[in-house]
Amino acid sequence: MVEETNLLYEGKAKKVYETNDPNLLIIYFKDDATAFNGKKHAVIDEKGALNKAITVKAFGWMNECGIPNHFVEENSGREIVVKRLKMVPVEVVVRNIAAGSIAKRLGLKQGEKLPRPVIEFYYKSDELDDPMINEDHITAFGWANEDTIKKIKDMALKVNDCLKEKFDKAGIELVDFKLEFGFDNDGNLLVGDEFTPDGSRLWDKETGEVLDKDRFRKDLGDLIEGYEKIMMKISRV
């Protein structure tokens, strides 16, 4: 049985623990909700359990689509067991529809469908507010080489194709989402971290209702209600 040992990392929405198996970690999903890099904060009952359940479903879909990832098994009401990875310090954002920062930066209409999926890179640094970067930054500073960047982009687009189809069947529009990647002990590149409404935008296809963390970020409605609607819809797929 996999058991927690030392706290390895605590972020805004999760804790990561080392375990009695050096190749495995445990991710614990917290009830904390944050926005604007932690400047807005609240603790919301059941958020962690819902994020864990949605993450399990998303990684299950990736497995169905043959996309390698770090998920191993569920551990408790708000914990999952994952493979230990050497993480690439880059957040990968895939966008299908204009929303949030890309709409503001490029003068696009909120909700406008993009000509094709757009991939953006951000340097993973809370202190710097995760600044946007390009492929030259990634290779120049040694965060990843060109071959790894190509593999990351290819995998990110495969994740997008897979999850778009699944969410579409659930009646949800996959607007955009964040991914992280890392290498396992054998040098294989895997999707790591999590997939939650904290790091993605998910809209009801029929009504356009925002179901993700923008409800908290922009005071659009009860956060848990949105996350519960996501879970109810995806549980049927």
Side-chain angles (χ1 to χ4, degrees), residues 2 8 29 32 40 52 60 65 123 126 147-148 153 215:
V2 181
L8 182 65
F29 292 87
D32 296 62
K40 183 176 182 180
K52 176 256 187 174
C65 294
Y123 178 48
D126 289 341
D147 181 59
T148 298
K153 290 171 72 174
R215 294 170 74 94

Side-chain angles (χ1 to χ4, degrees), residues 113-150:
K113 188 171 183 180
L114 301 177
R116 62 173 176 81
V118 172
I119 295 176
E120 297 176 345
F121 298 110
Y122 295 82
Y123 178 48
K124 190 168 172 58
S125 170
D126 289 341
E127 296 80 11
L128 300 175
D129 290 349
D130 300 334
M132 191 175 181
I133 55 175
N134 61 34
E135 295 180 32
D136 278 350
H137 294 115
I138 296 171
T139 55
F141 294 110
W143 299 325
N145 59 33
E146 290 183 4
D147 181 59
T148 298
I149 294 171
K150 184 181 184 305

Side-chain angles (χ1 to χ4, degrees), residues 12-13 30-36 38-44 216:
K12 293 186 286 288
K30 298 161 59 176
D31 284 337
D32 296 62
T34 63
F36 313 115
K39 296 177 180 69
K40 183 176 182 180
H41 176 264
V43 177
I44 303 175
F216 172 76

Side-chain angles (χ1 to χ4, degrees), residues 191-211:
V191 180
D193 197 42
E194 64 183 48
F195 184 98
T196 72
D198 286 6
S200 61
R201 286 189 172 88
L202 301 167
W203 296 350
D204 186 288
K205 283 183 70 72
E206 287 188 10
T207 66
E209 181 185 10
V210 172
L211 304 176

Side-chain angles (χ1 to χ4, degrees), residues 11-214:
K12 293 186 286 288
K14 62 181 179 286
K15 296 179 182 179
V16 180
Y17 292 92
E18 293 181 311
T19 73
N20 55 341
D21 184 330
N23 297 315
L24 299 176
L25 301 173
I26 288 175
I27 297 178
Y28 172 91
F29 292 87
K30 298 161 59 176
D31 284 337
D32 296 62
T34 63
F36 313 115
N37 200 34
K39 296 177 180 69
K40 183 176 182 180
H41 176 264
V43 177
I44 303 175
D45 288 345
E46 297 306 314
K47 174 179 172 287
L50 283 163
N51 270 344
K52 176 256 187 174
I54 293 167
T55 287
V56 169
K57 190 70 172 177
F59 278 120
W61 285 342
M62 290 184 214
N63 286 334
E64 289 177 21
C65 294
I67 298 167
N69 62 79
H70 73 159
F71 178 74
V72 176
E73 62 185 8
E74 298 184 59
N75 197 50
S76 75
R78 56 183 63 214
E79 291 181 349
I80 59 173
V81 179
V82 299
K83 295 177 184 177
R84 187 171 195 147
L85 305 180
K86 182 179 180 183
M87 300 301 293
V88 178
V90 174
E91 293 183 348
V92 181
V93 174
V94 182
R95 300 183 183 274
N96 297 304
I97 294 171
S101 65
I102 192 172
K104 184 177 181 181
R105 277 186 278 116
L106 302 182
L108 302 174
K109 182 181 178 182
Q110 188 92 352
E112 178 181 339
K113 188 171 183 180
L114 301 177
R116 62 173 176 81
V118 172
I119 295 176
E120 297 176 345
F121 298 110
Y122 295 82
Y123 178 48
K124 190 168 172 58
S125 170
D126 289 341
E127 296 80 11
L128 300 175
D129 290 349
D130 300 334
M132 191 175 181
I133 55 175
N134 61 34
E135 295 180 32
D136 278 350
H137 294 115
I138 296 171
T139 55
F141 294 110
W143 299 325
N145 59 33
E146 290 183 4
D147 181 59
T148 298
I149 294 171
K150 184 181 184 305
K151 288 179 181 177
I152 284 174
K153 290 171 72 174
D154 288 345
M155 286 177 66
L157 291 174
K158 287 178 182 176
V159 172
N160 188 48
D161 288 342
C162 176
L163 297 190
K164 266 182 70 178
E165 179 183 349
K166 300 293 188 180
F167 277 116
D168 185 69
K169 289 179 180 177
I172 295 174
E173 192 85 64
L174 179 58
V175 177
D176 57 39
F177 60 95
K178 173 183 72 70
L179 293 175
E180 294 185 29
F181 293 83
F183 292 94
D184 66 13
N185 289 338
D186 296 320
N188 300 306
L189 184 68
L190 308 181
V191 180
D193 197 42
E194 64 183 48
F195 184 98
T196 72
D198 286 6
S200 61
R201 286 189 172 88
L202 301 167
W203 296 350
D204 186 288
K205 283 183 70 72
E206 287 188 10
T207 66
E209 181 185 10
V210 172
L211 304 176
D212 54 75
K213 197 173 78 170
D214 273 348

